[in-house]
Amino acid sequence: MFWVLLITAVCILVFIRLVVLFKDQINFFMTGQDKGFKFGEVVLLWKLAKEAELDEPSSLYMSVPTLNRAIAKIVADSQERGDESSEKTQEFIAKLYDYRTQIDLDHENHKGIESTKYLEKGQRLRIILRGSGVFMSEILSNGHDIIIRVPVKKGVRPLDGKEWVNRDVSVYLWRKGDAGYVFDTRVTNAEVFQGQSAIHLAHTNKLERAQKRKSVRGTCQIYAQLYFLDSDEPIYDEVEVTPGYTCLLEDISEDGALIRTGGKGQPNIRIKIQFDIDGKFIVMFGIVRAVEYNQKENQSRLHFECLHIETDMKNAILNFIYKDLSEEKKEVLDALAQTEEDEKEEKQGEVQAEPSAQEVLDSVKPVSDAETAALAAEITKEDESDAETISELSKDLDTLKRGL
């Protein structure tokens, strides 16, 4: 009985050891079978994944660019062997293309991506290291980990790779043709990758859409005077000198405020408010977008959207808000702002890629005087030839008339 238990324990240990040693292969082959590929096809895909030196071979099943390279490799090899047109090769290539299309459709149906494993080489990143600000980097490789350049700030690398290891970071990015994303992760390693100083980021499936940067709101307790506007085109430089309705601003931003006032408010009413902030006189014109009415207290909270404010007054509000803003929130706003700049660069690049009418005209090579003269001579020669032809036809016509 003892020997049976011992042999069983040894077999279990050997099995566990084999599973650990061949974890990547087992995961790859199981994934391939689940995706509908035959065993022989999965063997070929494994070879391709190893030739591509993928840190995580299973990423072949998730990355369209990697699949594209695999298909190109299979086609090139089959052409070299001379069996490109064979039924077996064409069936396998068709299956790969069908699977590639399926990945594209899955991404489209999900309206984006949910895992960092789908991020591609060359993707620009904006990285927040708490207390140190916003850094820039880009992806060098995406496999078992995300390998990125050691991040820089304003062109300078204040921290070397080892100083990033085991630090938690927030990563913001604009994915070309898609949307902005954000995820939290940890730096797991630092190395020299393909001759460049690099760090590793752990993968996560919690890749979330980054919201467009909104104006920052600051809580406050500021009394103001509220006035109803009769005209859709108010006089913006007009200041009210008579008292209006006294109200309380509970939060404020450059493009609006939350206003508490007595009575039941009405939405879609045009108003303006006047108040002082840090000794600066402010006038904001806008509209009440929504109302929260507290019947018990007979008070309303008006969600006010500012449609016009002078620049110096806007700056005074921003100064009031930012002086009390936490460093962490400033870093997030900076990262979002930089990500929006990446988006703008992409869109500007798309516009510049299409030549304007003026560029097309400018690209036309001007005709020299010699070329103009040669062209004129050719036209004259053709005109003379046409004239001779017409003269001969006229003579033939006269001859025909006389015969009749």
Side-chain angles (χ1 to χ4, degrees), residues 82-113:
D83 62 355
E84 179 190 6
S85 300
S86 71
E87 183 178 348
K88 181 179 179 181
T89 300
Q90 287 301 312
E91 180 184 347
F92 183 34
I93 292 173
K95 190 177 292 185
L96 283 172
Y97 274 124
D98 287 344
Y99 181 67
R100 181 198 181 285
T101 302
Q102 179 186 330
I103 292 178
D104 276 340
L105 290 175
D106 285 346
H107 287 182
E108 187 175 325
N109 290 336
H110 282 95
K111 296 182 179 179
I113 56 176

PDB file of all heavy atoms in Angstrom, residues 82-113:
ATOM      1  N   GLY A  82       6.077  25.699 -53.471  1.00  0.00           N
ATOM      2  CA  GLY A  82       5.345  25.441 -54.700  1.00  0.00           C
ATOM      3  C   GLY A  82       3.979  24.815 -54.485  1.00  0.00           C
ATOM      4  O   GLY A  82       3.365  24.317 -55.435  1.00  0.00           O
ATOM      5  N   ASP A  83       3.470  24.815 -53.220  1.00  0.00           N
ATOM      6  CA  ASP A  83       2.155  24.216 -52.955  1.00  0.00           C
ATOM      7  C   ASP A  83       1.139  25.262 -52.509  1.00  0.00           C
ATOM      8  O   ASP A  83       0.200  24.961 -51.769  1.00  0.00           O
ATOM      9  CB  ASP A  83       2.283  23.107 -51.913  1.00  0.00           C
ATOM     10  CG  ASP A  83       2.786  23.629 -50.561  1.00  0.00           C
ATOM     11  OD1 ASP A  83       3.123  24.830 -50.472  1.00  0.00           O
ATOM     12  OD2 ASP A  83       2.854  22.831 -49.604  1.00  0.00           O
ATOM     13  N   GLU A  84       1.328  26.519 -52.966  1.00  0.00           N
ATOM     14  CA  GLU A  84       0.439  27.616 -52.573  1.00  0.00           C
ATOM     15  C   GLU A  84      -1.004  27.338 -52.972  1.00  0.00           C
ATOM     16  O   GLU A  84      -1.947  27.692 -52.261  1.00  0.00           O
ATOM     17  CB  GLU A  84       0.908  28.925 -53.198  1.00  0.00           C
ATOM     18  CG  GLU A  84       0.022  30.127 -52.862  1.00  0.00           C
ATOM     19  CD  GLU A  84       0.379  31.359 -53.688  1.00  0.00           C
ATOM     20  OE1 GLU A  84       1.225  31.243 -54.586  1.00  0.00           O
ATOM     21  OE2 GLU A  84      -0.203  32.418 -53.414  1.00  0.00           O
ATOM     22  N   SER A  85      -1.192  26.668 -54.130  1.00  0.00           N
ATOM     23  CA  SER A  85      -2.544  26.451 -54.649  1.00  0.00           C
ATOM     24  C   SER A  85      -3.174  25.160 -54.148  1.00  0.00           C
ATOM     25  O   SER A  85      -4.308  24.839 -54.527  1.00  0.00           O
ATOM     26  CB  SER A  85      -2.512  26.437 -56.185  1.00  0.00           C
ATOM     27  OG  SER A  85      -2.017  27.666 -56.685  1.00  0.00           O
ATOM     28  N   SER A  86      -2.459  24.422 -53.309  1.00  0.00           N
ATOM     29  CA  SER A  86      -3.007  23.157 -52.831  1.00  0.00           C
ATOM     30  C   SER A  86      -4.241  23.410 -51.972  1.00  0.00           C
ATOM     31  O   SER A  86      -4.368  24.443 -51.314  1.00  0.00           O
ATOM     32  CB  SER A  86      -1.956  22.381 -52.032  1.00  0.00           C
ATOM     33  OG  SER A  86      -1.714  23.016 -50.791  1.00  0.00           O
ATOM     34  N   GLU A  87      -5.146  22.456 -51.983  1.00  0.00           N
ATOM     35  CA  GLU A  87      -6.402  22.597 -51.234  1.00  0.00           C
ATOM     36  C   GLU A  87      -6.143  22.755 -49.744  1.00  0.00           C
ATOM     37  O   GLU A  87      -6.784  23.557 -49.064  1.00  0.00           O
ATOM     38  CB  GLU A  87      -7.289  21.377 -51.493  1.00  0.00           C
ATOM     39  CG  GLU A  87      -8.655  21.464 -50.810  1.00  0.00           C
ATOM     40  CD  GLU A  87      -9.528  20.261 -51.114  1.00  0.00           C
ATOM     41  OE1 GLU A  87      -9.164  19.490 -52.026  1.00  0.00           O
ATOM     42  OE2 GLU A  87     -10.557  20.103 -50.432  1.00  0.00           O
ATOM     43  N   LYS A  88      -5.176  21.991 -49.228  1.00  0.00           N
ATOM     44  CA  LYS A  88      -4.864  22.030 -47.803  1.00  0.00           C
ATOM     45  C   LYS A  88      -4.363  23.412 -47.385  1.00  0.00           C
ATOM     46  O   LYS A  88      -4.807  23.972 -46.374  1.00  0.00           O
ATOM     47  CB  LYS A  88      -3.808  20.978 -47.482  1.00  0.00           C
ATOM     48  CG  LYS A  88      -3.433  20.911 -46.019  1.00  0.00           C
ATOM     49  CD  LYS A  88      -2.388  19.827 -45.778  1.00  0.00           C
ATOM     50  CE  LYS A  88      -1.982  19.777 -44.303  1.00  0.00           C
ATOM     51  NZ  LYS A  88      -0.936  18.737 -44.078  1.00  0.00           N
ATOM     52  N   THR A  89      -3.442  23.991 -48.184  1.00  0.00           N
ATOM     53  CA  THR A  89      -2.889  25.312 -47.866  1.00  0.00           C
ATOM     54  C   THR A  89      -3.960  26.386 -47.954  1.00  0.00           C
ATOM     55  O   THR A  89      -4.080  27.242 -47.068  1.00  0.00           O
ATOM     56  CB  THR A  89      -1.733  25.652 -48.818  1.00  0.00           C
ATOM     57  OG1 THR A  89      -0.712  24.662 -48.682  1.00  0.00           O
ATOM     58  CG2 THR A  89      -1.156  27.022 -48.509  1.00  0.00           C
ATOM     59  N   GLN A  90      -4.757  26.344 -49.019  1.00  0.00           N
ATOM     60  CA  GLN A  90      -5.791  27.363 -49.210  1.00  0.00           C
ATOM     61  C   GLN A  90      -6.868  27.282 -48.119  1.00  0.00           C
ATOM     62  O   GLN A  90      -7.371  28.298 -47.656  1.00  0.00           O
ATOM     63  CB  GLN A  90      -6.433  27.205 -50.597  1.00  0.00           C
ATOM     64  CG  GLN A  90      -5.540  27.640 -51.745  1.00  0.00           C
ATOM     65  CD  GLN A  90      -5.125  29.096 -51.615  1.00  0.00           C
ATOM     66  OE1 GLN A  90      -5.944  29.973 -51.370  1.00  0.00           O
ATOM     67  NE2 GLN A  90      -3.828  29.361 -51.783  1.00  0.00           N
ATOM     68  N   GLU A  91      -7.176  26.062 -47.687  1.00  0.00           N
ATOM     69  CA  GLU A  91      -8.170  25.897 -46.621  1.00  0.00           C
ATOM     70  C   GLU A  91      -7.662  26.503 -45.310  1.00  0.00           C
ATOM     71  O   GLU A  91      -8.415  27.177 -44.587  1.00  0.00           O
ATOM     72  CB  GLU A  91      -8.457  24.407 -46.426  1.00  0.00           C
ATOM     73  CG  GLU A  91      -9.493  24.129 -45.334  1.00  0.00           C
ATOM     74  CD  GLU A  91      -9.683  22.642 -45.094  1.00  0.00           C
ATOM     75  OE1 GLU A  91      -9.204  21.834 -45.926  1.00  0.00           O
ATOM     76  OE2 GLU A  91     -10.291  22.292 -44.063  1.00  0.00           O
ATOM     77  N   PHE A  92      -6.367  26.286 -45.019  1.00  0.00           N
ATOM     78  CA  PHE A  92      -5.776  26.817 -43.792  1.00  0.00           C
ATOM     79  C   PHE A  92      -5.719  28.343 -43.836  1.00  0.00           C
ATOM     80  O   PHE A  92      -6.077  29.024 -42.867  1.00  0.00           O
ATOM     81  CB  PHE A  92      -4.377  26.226 -43.611  1.00  0.00           C
ATOM     82  CG  PHE A  92      -3.692  26.649 -42.340  1.00  0.00           C
ATOM     83  CD1 PHE A  92      -4.411  26.865 -41.174  1.00  0.00           C
ATOM     84  CD2 PHE A  92      -2.317  26.831 -42.306  1.00  0.00           C
ATOM     85  CE1 PHE A  92      -3.783  27.233 -39.990  1.00  0.00           C
ATOM     86  CE2 PHE A  92      -1.680  27.207 -41.141  1.00  0.00           C
ATOM     87  CZ  PHE A  92      -2.411  27.414 -39.984  1.00  0.00           C
ATOM     88  N   ILE A  93      -5.308  28.907 -44.976  1.00  0.00           N
ATOM     89  CA  ILE A  93      -5.226  30.370 -45.116  1.00  0.00           C
ATOM     90  C   ILE A  93      -6.621  30.981 -44.997  1.00  0.00           C
ATOM     91  O   ILE A  93      -6.813  32.018 -44.343  1.00  0.00           O
ATOM     92  CB  ILE A  93      -4.570  30.753 -46.458  1.00  0.00           C
ATOM     93  CG1 ILE A  93      -3.090  30.340 -46.448  1.00  0.00           C
ATOM     94  CG2 ILE A  93      -4.693  32.254 -46.715  1.00  0.00           C
ATOM     95  CD1 ILE A  93      -2.397  30.528 -47.783  1.00  0.00           C
ATOM     96  N   ALA A  94      -7.614  30.332 -45.618  1.00  0.00           N
ATOM     97  CA  ALA A  94      -8.991  30.840 -45.541  1.00  0.00           C
ATOM     98  C   ALA A  94      -9.478  30.841 -44.092  1.00  0.00           C
ATOM     99  O   ALA A  94     -10.151  31.775 -43.640  1.00  0.00           O
ATOM    100  CB  ALA A  94      -9.909  29.980 -46.406  1.00  0.00           C
ATOM    101  N   LYS A  95      -9.106  29.790 -43.345  1.00  0.00           N
ATOM    102  CA  LYS A  95      -9.507  29.702 -41.946  1.00  0.00           C
ATOM    103  C   LYS A  95      -8.865  30.823 -41.128  1.00  0.00           C
ATOM    104  O   LYS A  95      -9.503  31.418 -40.253  1.00  0.00           O
ATOM    105  CB  LYS A  95      -9.106  28.332 -41.390  1.00  0.00           C
ATOM    106  CG  LYS A  95      -9.679  28.035 -40.007  1.00  0.00           C
ATOM    107  CD  LYS A  95      -9.310  26.643 -39.540  1.00  0.00           C
ATOM    108  CE  LYS A  95      -9.985  25.584 -40.358  1.00  0.00           C
ATOM    109  NZ  LYS A  95      -9.721  24.225 -39.823  1.00  0.00           N
ATOM    110  N   LEU A  96      -7.590  31.105 -41.426  1.00  0.00           N
ATOM    111  CA  LEU A  96      -6.902  32.195 -40.729  1.00  0.00           C
ATOM    112  C   LEU A  96      -7.552  33.535 -41.035  1.00  0.00           C
ATOM    113  O   LEU A  96      -7.737  34.365 -40.133  1.00  0.00           O
ATOM    114  CB  LEU A  96      -5.424  32.230 -41.133  1.00  0.00           C
ATOM    115  CG  LEU A  96      -4.515  31.179 -40.501  1.00  0.00           C
ATOM    116  CD1 LEU A  96      -3.137  31.219 -41.135  1.00  0.00           C
ATOM    117  CD2 LEU A  96      -4.401  31.398 -38.991  1.00  0.00           C
ATOM    118  N   TYR A  97      -7.924  33.774 -42.291  1.00  0.00           N
ATOM    119  CA  TYR A  97      -8.578  35.024 -42.661  1.00  0.00           C
ATOM    120  C   TYR A  97      -9.952  35.145 -41.998  1.00  0.00           C
ATOM    121  O   TYR A  97     -10.342  36.219 -41.550  1.00  0.00           O
ATOM    122  CB  TYR A  97      -8.723  35.131 -44.180  1.00  0.00           C
ATOM    123  CG  TYR A  97      -7.500  35.700 -44.862  1.00  0.00           C
ATOM    124  CD1 TYR A  97      -6.848  35.001 -45.871  1.00  0.00           C
ATOM    125  CD2 TYR A  97      -7.008  36.957 -44.512  1.00  0.00           C
ATOM    126  CE1 TYR A  97      -5.719  35.525 -46.495  1.00  0.00           C
ATOM    127  CE2 TYR A  97      -5.887  37.490 -45.130  1.00  0.00           C
ATOM    128  CZ  TYR A  97      -5.244  36.765 -46.122  1.00  0.00           C
ATOM    129  OH  TYR A  97      -4.135  37.304 -46.734  1.00  0.00           O
ATOM    130  N   ASP A  98     -10.677  34.029 -41.944  1.00  0.00           N
ATOM    131  CA  ASP A  98     -11.993  34.048 -41.277  1.00  0.00           C
ATOM    132  C   ASP A  98     -11.826  34.403 -39.802  1.00  0.00           C
ATOM    133  O   ASP A  98     -12.610  35.179 -39.244  1.00  0.00           O
ATOM    134  CB  ASP A  98     -12.675  32.682 -41.402  1.00  0.00           C
ATOM    135  CG  ASP A  98     -13.193  32.419 -42.805  1.00  0.00           C
ATOM    136  OD1 ASP A  98     -13.302  33.397 -43.569  1.00  0.00           O
ATOM    137  OD2 ASP A  98     -13.460  31.251 -43.134  1.00  0.00           O
ATOM    138  N   TYR A  99     -10.790  33.814 -39.192  1.00  0.00           N
ATOM    139  CA  TYR A  99     -10.553  34.079 -37.774  1.00  0.00           C
ATOM    140  C   TYR A  99     -10.135  35.529 -37.565  1.00  0.00           C
ATOM    141  O   TYR A  99     -10.562  36.178 -36.603  1.00  0.00           O
ATOM    142  CB  TYR A  99      -9.480  33.135 -37.230  1.00  0.00           C
ATOM    143  CG  TYR A  99      -9.205  33.332 -35.760  1.00  0.00           C
ATOM    144  CD1 TYR A  99     -10.165  33.016 -34.809  1.00  0.00           C
ATOM    145  CD2 TYR A  99      -7.998  33.865 -35.329  1.00  0.00           C
ATOM    146  CE1 TYR A  99      -9.932  33.215 -33.463  1.00  0.00           C
ATOM    147  CE2 TYR A  99      -7.755  34.066 -33.983  1.00  0.00           C
ATOM    148  CZ  TYR A  99      -8.721  33.739 -33.056  1.00  0.00           C
ATOM    149  OH  TYR A  99      -8.489  33.946 -31.737  1.00  0.00           O
ATOM    150  N   ARG A 100      -9.299  36.057 -38.474  1.00  0.00           N
ATOM    151  CA  ARG A 100      -8.873  37.457 -38.396  1.00  0.00           C
ATOM    152  C   ARG A 100     -10.084  38.380 -38.481  1.00  0.00           C
ATOM    153  O   ARG A 100     -10.199  39.358 -37.736  1.00  0.00           O
ATOM    154  CB  ARG A 100      -7.888  37.774 -39.527  1.00  0.00           C
ATOM    155  CG  ARG A 100      -7.379  39.205 -39.515  1.00  0.00           C
ATOM    156  CD  ARG A 100      -6.781  39.558 -40.859  1.00  0.00           C
ATOM    157  NE  ARG A 100      -6.265  40.920 -40.861  1.00  0.00           N
ATOM    158  CZ  ARG A 100      -7.015  42.002 -40.918  1.00  0.00           C
ATOM    159  NH1 ARG A 100      -8.338  41.882 -40.944  1.00  0.00           N
ATOM    160  NH2 ARG A 100      -6.467  43.209 -40.925  1.00  0.00           N
ATOM    161  N   THR A 101     -11.005  38.088 -39.415  1.00  0.00           N
ATOM    162  CA  THR A 101     -12.226  38.887 -39.558  1.00  0.00           C
ATOM    163  C   THR A 101     -13.062  38.826 -38.285  1.00  0.00           C
ATOM    164  O   THR A 101     -13.633  39.830 -37.848  1.00  0.00           O
ATOM    165  CB  THR A 101     -13.060  38.378 -40.750  1.00  0.00           C
ATOM    166  OG1 THR A 101     -12.266  38.444 -41.941  1.00  0.00           O
ATOM    167  CG2 THR A 101     -14.324  39.218 -40.930  1.00  0.00           C
ATOM    168  N   GLN A 102     -13.111  37.617 -37.677  1.00  0.00           N
ATOM    169  CA  GLN A 102     -13.873  37.452 -36.441  1.00  0.00           C
ATOM    170  C   GLN A 102     -13.325  38.340 -35.326  1.00  0.00           C
ATOM    171  O   GLN A 102     -14.092  38.962 -34.576  1.00  0.00           O
ATOM    172  CB  GLN A 102     -13.815  35.996 -36.005  1.00  0.00           C
ATOM    173  CG  GLN A 102     -14.568  35.709 -34.707  1.00  0.00           C
ATOM    174  CD  GLN A 102     -14.360  34.274 -34.241  1.00  0.00           C
ATOM    175  OE1 GLN A 102     -14.164  33.381 -35.049  1.00  0.00           O
ATOM    176  NE2 GLN A 102     -14.402  34.072 -32.943  1.00  0.00           N
ATOM    177  N   ILE A 103     -11.983  38.436 -35.225  1.00  0.00           N
ATOM    178  CA  ILE A 103     -11.377  39.298 -34.203  1.00  0.00           C
ATOM    179  C   ILE A 103     -11.770  40.750 -34.444  1.00  0.00           C
ATOM    180  O   ILE A 103     -12.148  41.477 -33.521  1.00  0.00           O
ATOM    181  CB  ILE A 103      -9.837  39.167 -34.217  1.00  0.00           C
ATOM    182  CG1 ILE A 103      -9.419  37.782 -33.739  1.00  0.00           C
ATOM    183  CG2 ILE A 103      -9.202  40.219 -33.316  1.00  0.00           C
ATOM    184  CD1 ILE A 103      -7.927  37.557 -33.766  1.00  0.00           C
ATOM    185  N   ASP A 104     -11.701  41.183 -35.709  1.00  0.00           N
ATOM    186  CA  ASP A 104     -12.080  42.562 -36.046  1.00  0.00           C
ATOM    187  C   ASP A 104     -13.524  42.840 -35.648  1.00  0.00           C
ATOM    188  O   ASP A 104     -13.839  43.881 -35.068  1.00  0.00           O
ATOM    189  CB  ASP A 104     -11.908  42.812 -37.550  1.00  0.00           C
ATOM    190  CG  ASP A 104     -10.479  43.180 -37.912  1.00  0.00           C
ATOM    191  OD1 ASP A 104      -9.737  43.609 -37.006  1.00  0.00           O
ATOM    192  OD2 ASP A 104     -10.101  43.019 -39.080  1.00  0.00           O
ATOM    193  N   LEU A 105     -14.416  41.893 -35.977  1.00  0.00           N
ATOM    194  CA  LEU A 105     -15.836  42.093 -35.677  1.00  0.00           C
ATOM    195  C   LEU A 105     -16.082  42.078 -34.178  1.00  0.00           C
ATOM    196  O   LEU A 105     -16.898  42.847 -33.662  1.00  0.00           O
ATOM    197  CB  LEU A 105     -16.668  40.996 -36.360  1.00  0.00           C
ATOM    198  CG  LEU A 105     -16.753  41.080 -37.889  1.00  0.00           C
ATOM    199  CD1 LEU A 105     -17.503  39.872 -38.441  1.00  0.00           C
ATOM    200  CD2 LEU A 105     -17.415  42.374 -38.329  1.00  0.00           C
ATOM    201  N   ASP A 106     -15.378  41.187 -33.460  1.00  0.00           N
ATOM    202  CA  ASP A 106     -15.526  41.145 -32.000  1.00  0.00           C
ATOM    203  C   ASP A 106     -15.135  42.481 -31.383  1.00  0.00           C
ATOM    204  O   ASP A 106     -15.813  43.009 -30.505  1.00  0.00           O
ATOM    205  CB  ASP A 106     -14.662  40.033 -31.403  1.00  0.00           C
ATOM    206  CG  ASP A 106     -15.263  38.658 -31.654  1.00  0.00           C
ATOM    207  OD1 ASP A 106     -16.445  38.606 -32.034  1.00  0.00           O
ATOM    208  OD2 ASP A 106     -14.539  37.657 -31.463  1.00  0.00           O
ATOM    209  N   HIS A 107     -14.016  43.040 -31.864  1.00  0.00           N
ATOM    210  CA  HIS A 107     -13.560  44.341 -31.348  1.00  0.00           C
ATOM    211  C   HIS A 107     -14.595  45.411 -31.653  1.00  0.00           C
ATOM    212  O   HIS A 107     -14.909  46.257 -30.819  1.00  0.00           O
ATOM    213  CB  HIS A 107     -12.228  44.725 -31.984  1.00  0.00           C
ATOM    214  CG  HIS A 107     -11.088  43.916 -31.463  1.00  0.00           C
ATOM    215  ND1 HIS A 107      -9.786  44.113 -31.858  1.00  0.00           N
ATOM    216  CD2 HIS A 107     -11.050  42.899 -30.569  1.00  0.00           C
ATOM    217  CE1 HIS A 107      -9.012  43.258 -31.227  1.00  0.00           C
ATOM    218  NE2 HIS A 107      -9.742  42.510 -30.455  1.00  0.00           N
ATOM    219  N   GLU A 108     -15.142  45.359 -32.882  1.00  0.00           N
ATOM    220  CA  GLU A 108     -16.107  46.388 -33.302  1.00  0.00           C
ATOM    221  C   GLU A 108     -17.387  46.278 -32.498  1.00  0.00           C
ATOM    222  O   GLU A 108     -17.961  47.269 -32.069  1.00  0.00           O
ATOM    223  CB  GLU A 108     -16.397  46.217 -34.795  1.00  0.00           C
ATOM    224  CG  GLU A 108     -17.256  47.324 -35.374  1.00  0.00           C
ATOM    225  CD  GLU A 108     -17.418  47.188 -36.868  1.00  0.00           C
ATOM    226  OE1 GLU A 108     -16.462  46.745 -37.535  1.00  0.00           O
ATOM    227  OE2 GLU A 108     -18.503  47.521 -37.366  1.00  0.00           O
ATOM    228  N   ASN A 109     -17.850  45.026 -32.269  1.00  0.00           N
ATOM    229  CA  ASN A 109     -19.090  44.827 -31.515  1.00  0.00           C
ATOM    230  C   ASN A 109     -18.939  45.253 -30.067  1.00  0.00           C
ATOM    231  O   ASN A 109     -19.885  45.714 -29.444  1.00  0.00           O
ATOM    232  CB  ASN A 109     -19.505  43.355 -31.589  1.00  0.00           C
ATOM    233  CG  ASN A 109     -19.965  42.963 -32.980  1.00  0.00           C
ATOM    234  OD1 ASN A 109     -20.388  43.816 -33.761  1.00  0.00           O
ATOM    235  ND2 ASN A 109     -19.873  41.684 -33.311  1.00  0.00           N
ATOM    236  N   HIS A 110     -17.720  45.084 -29.538  1.00  0.00           N
ATOM    237  CA  HIS A 110     -17.470  45.516 -28.165  1.00  0.00           C
ATOM    238  C   HIS A 110     -17.194  47.014 -28.087  1.00  0.00           C
ATOM    239  O   HIS A 110     -17.018  47.565 -27.016  1.00  0.00           O
ATOM    240  CB  HIS A 110     -16.272  44.752 -27.578  1.00  0.00           C
ATOM    241  CG  HIS A 110     -16.618  43.366 -27.141  1.00  0.00           C
ATOM    242  ND1 HIS A 110     -16.424  42.264 -27.948  1.00  0.00           N
ATOM    243  CD2 HIS A 110     -17.159  42.901 -25.990  1.00  0.00           C
ATOM    244  CE1 HIS A 110     -16.802  41.170 -27.302  1.00  0.00           C
ATOM    245  NE2 HIS A 110     -17.264  41.530 -26.108  1.00  0.00           N
ATOM    246  N   LYS A 111     -17.170  47.666 -29.253  1.00  0.00           N
ATOM    247  CA  LYS A 111     -16.918  49.107 -29.333  1.00  0.00           C
ATOM    248  C   LYS A 111     -15.618  49.478 -28.609  1.00  0.00           C
ATOM    249  O   LYS A 111     -15.578  50.363 -27.764  1.00  0.00           O
ATOM    250  CB  LYS A 111     -18.098  49.892 -28.748  1.00  0.00           C
ATOM    251  CG  LYS A 111     -19.378  49.695 -29.532  1.00  0.00           C
ATOM    252  CD  LYS A 111     -20.506  50.513 -28.951  1.00  0.00           C
ATOM    253  CE  LYS A 111     -21.786  50.314 -29.762  1.00  0.00           C
ATOM    254  NZ  LYS A 111     -22.919  51.068 -29.217  1.00  0.00           N
ATOM    255  N   GLY A 112     -14.564  48.761 -28.964  1.00  0.00           N
ATOM    256  CA  GLY A 112     -13.267  49.057 -28.377  1.00  0.00           C
ATOM    257  C   GLY A 112     -12.599  47.814 -27.852  1.00  0.00           C
ATOM    258  O   GLY A 112     -12.922  46.699 -28.258  1.00  0.00           O
ATOM    259  N   ILE A 113     -11.653  47.994 -26.977  1.00  0.00           N
ATOM    260  CA  ILE A 113     -10.926  46.869 -26.420  1.00  0.00           C
ATOM    261  C   ILE A 113     -11.056  46.875 -24.900  1.00  0.00           C
ATOM    262  O   ILE A 113     -11.316  47.910 -24.294  1.00  0.00           O
ATOM    263  CB  ILE A 113      -9.440  46.907 -26.833  1.00  0.00           C
ATOM    264  CG1 ILE A 113      -8.805  48.239 -26.410  1.00  0.00           C
ATOM    265  CG2 ILE A 113      -9.295  46.705 -28.329  1.00  0.00           C
ATOM    266  CD1 ILE A 113      -7.326  48.329 -26.697  1.00  0.00           C
TER     267      ILE A 113
END
